[in-house]
Amino acid sequence: MKTLNIIGAGRLGKTLGRLWQQAGFFQIQSIHNRTIDSAHAAVEFIGAGQATSSIESMADANCWLISCSDGEIETAAEQLSSNFQQREGAIAFHCSGALSSKVLKALHPASIASAHPVHSFADPQRSLDSLGGSSVALEGDSLAVLTLTEAFASIGCGTLAISAEHKSLYHAGSVIACNYLTTLIDLSLQSFAAAGIDRDRALRLLEPIVLQTVKNTMALGPEASLTGPIARGDLETVATQAKSLTSADPHLAHHYRQLGLACVKLARRGQLSDETAAKLIELLSEPMR
């Protein structure tokens, strides 16, 4: 069994460490976090490993996961390189969606890679059950990519290859679909609040329709799944909603109009006529008075 050291065992690092340990693919060895207490907490969650107070005190290993914040990955790699005990076939990788494997170049001649799971690690305990079935974008040196393909397969994840130069565009796609969706729901909650509907009731109201919308979109595609006033060309409803939002909160009205313009573009790929689309664009491009 290959050994794995983890630098930065936060929500992602703890989840992967425990799943790989349970699957018997990696033996978790040394764990280093910003504080020794958090390193001990990671060891407890994973159920294996040894907390260490510094990178220098970590034991040697076949593989190294650097899963600290994006701004700290390159620094951690450079710090590790000063005492990195090179074994033939050693592997080092990070899990940043935005950064390529090149930030680990200080660790050459080790085989380096980036591995980004398309998954929200908001709660490690929940992720233990939900990570399986997710995809992982891989790029880097061939040995590292091959090993990580096998590693993620052992915990039920598929992989896809991506080029280093397209990493930022790939990650932007994930951000828009995931992070922006969360923000969009928050904007929706603000609109409900302006209508006098409390947060808990609004969340209960939204859950079934949001989940169904996501299922429809994944099954049918965006063009066939778009519904609502813009999809049917209901100019009067759009005008009334924009005006109401402007009165309640101009910030919400701004987002309503900008997202509405994106909806018009999508609806034109469906059944919306060019004439109606032009009227909607004119309506949404100007703040309502």
Side-chain angles (χ1 to χ4, degrees), residues 150-198:
E150 296 172 350
F152 282 103
S154 76
I155 56 176
C157 295
T159 55
L160 67 149
I162 188 167
S163 62
E165 57 267 30
H166 290 153
K167 191 75 185 292
S168 182
L169 288 172
Y170 148 80
H171 189 239
S174 300
V175 166
I176 291 169
C178 301
N179 305 155
Y180 285 15
L181 175 59
T182 299
T183 303
L184 183 61
I185 291 173
D186 184 63
L187 291 172
S188 174
L189 292 175
Q190 292 177 44
S191 185
F192 280 120
I197 301 173
D198 68 76

Side-chain angles (χ1 to χ4, degrees), residues 242 245-246 249-261 284 287:
L245 284 168
T246 299
D249 186 341
H251 172 74
L252 287 176
H254 168 75
H255 291 298
Y256 178 88
R257 290 193 299 272
Q258 293 301 307
L259 290 165
L261 289 170
L284 291 164

Side-chain angles (χ1 to χ4, degrees), residues 129-144:
D129 297 323
S130 61
L131 181 62
S134 299
S135 295
V136 181
L138 291 177
E139 63 85 16
D141 298 334
S142 57
L143 175 61

Side-chain angles (χ1 to χ4, degrees), residues 6 8-10 14 30-46 48-54:
I6 304 175
K14 289 193 297 187
S30 295
I31 295 175
H32 171 66
N33 280 356
R34 288 181 180 177
T35 68
I36 192 65
D37 287 342
S38 65
H40 282 299
V43 169
E44 183 176 358
F45 182 86
I46 293 170
Q50 179 69 43
T52 59
S53 59
S54 67

Side-chain angles (χ1 to χ4, degrees), residues 237-249:
T237 296
V238 172
T240 300
Q241 289 178 345
K243 184 176 181 179
S244 297
L245 284 168
T246 299
S247 298
D249 186 341

